[in-house]
Amino acid sequence: GENVEQHPSTLSVQEGDSAVIKCTYSDSASNYFPWYKQELGKRPQLIIDIRSNVGEKKDQRIAVTLNKTAKHFSLHITETQPEDSAVYFCAATGPNFGNEKLTFGTGTRLTIIP
Amino acid sequence: SAVISQKPSRDICQRGTSLTIQCQVDSQVTMMFWYRQQPGQSLTLIATANQGSEATYESGFVIDKFPISRPNLTFSTLTVSNMSPEDSSIYLCSVGRGDTEAFFGQGTRLTVV
């Protein structure tokens, strides 16, 4: 089955700096890669996703890049703000998303230092 | 987007008892997924519930411990049976539709004493 590795497990950055979180996956059939943000005591919320036919996607301060050959994808947050502090999870799933499970990475606790 | 109502939001239970968690979705979905999130950990899939058939369990999870019902396309329950303190965790239901994002219920924080 799919295996998703995520690094780093913790990350602290100064407010205004950029943060990068990296994930690798094992199953070459995976083609949908969402990123979730989970604030303390709350449910995971999708913040951005990317499909295998796209190399990069951007939404304001958040971007995701995908390298299918190397089987890794990354989350980039620019101009970080205190409200970006949370745990971030990457995930991967196959072509029949909605009817297939998500495999999650181990999570990255991001702390923004004011 | 999908709206998922999950309850209870939290409970404190005695060891040896069982707790049933409910998830109600505002529209019909084929699959519903049940996850466990232990403190400070990632989400681990317990099982996939498909309406009209037996749930499919992941390695390490068994039906006797986590029986699941899926009576229709908008509702599912997960029971945590014969609980022990090791079952203390957050349990989340999730749905996905087509090629859209997965939506999560608000979670059930279970403490077993």
Side-chain angles (χ1 to χ4, degrees), chain A residues 10-113:
Chain A
T10 60
L11 179 61
S12 295
V13 301
Q14 289 291 139
E15 181 178 354
D17 288 349
S18 297
V20 180
I21 303 170
K22 299 181 179 182
C23 289
T24 60
Y25 62 98
S26 61
D27 189 348
S28 56
S30 291
N31 69 349
Y32 176 64
F33 308 93
W35 285 89
Y36 289 86
K37 176 183 181 182
Q38 188 175 32
E39 296 175 334
L40 189 63
K42 297 188 176 180
R43 76 188 84 185
Q45 298 273 9
L46 180 78
I47 55 171
I48 197 167
D49 57 8
I50 192 166
R51 300 184 187 281
S52 60
N53 58 346
V54 175
E56 183 174 359
K57 183 177 179 181
K58 192 172 182 180
D59 183 4
Q60 300 182 355
R61 297 186 298 108
I62 296 173
V64 57
T65 58
L66 171 65
N67 183 328
K68 270 197 72 75
T69 302
K71 288 191 274 189
H72 65 71
F73 56 112
S74 300
L75 176 71
H76 304 252
I77 306 175
T78 59
E79 300 173 22
T80 53
Q81 301 170 2
E83 53 265 35
D84 294 329
S85 294
V87 179
Y88 292 80
F89 294 99
C90 61
T93 190
N96 195 20
F97 177 63
N99 295 318
E100 291 189 50
K101 65 179 183 181
L102 280 170
T103 300
F104 285 86
T106 48
T108 297
R109 182 174 300 278
L110 175 63
T111 302
I112 307 303
I113 304 166

Side-chain angles (χ1 to χ4, degrees), chain B residues 53-103:
Chain B
S53 63
E54 291 285 334
T56 302
Y57 288 83
E58 297 297 304
S59 176
F61 298 96
V62 295
I63 187 171
D64 290 346
K65 176 67 176 177
F66 297 101
I68 285 172
S69 77
R70 184 79 200 275
N72 57 54
L73 291 172
T74 63
F75 186 78
S76 180
T77 68
L78 169 76
T79 298
V80 186
S81 302
N82 189 24
M83 289 183 286
S84 67
E86 293 71 38
D87 295 320
S88 297
S89 190
I90 297 172
Y91 293 85
L92 296 132
C93 62
S94 172
V95 303
R97 276 204 300 264
D99 61 353
T100 59
E101 67 174 279
F103 299 92

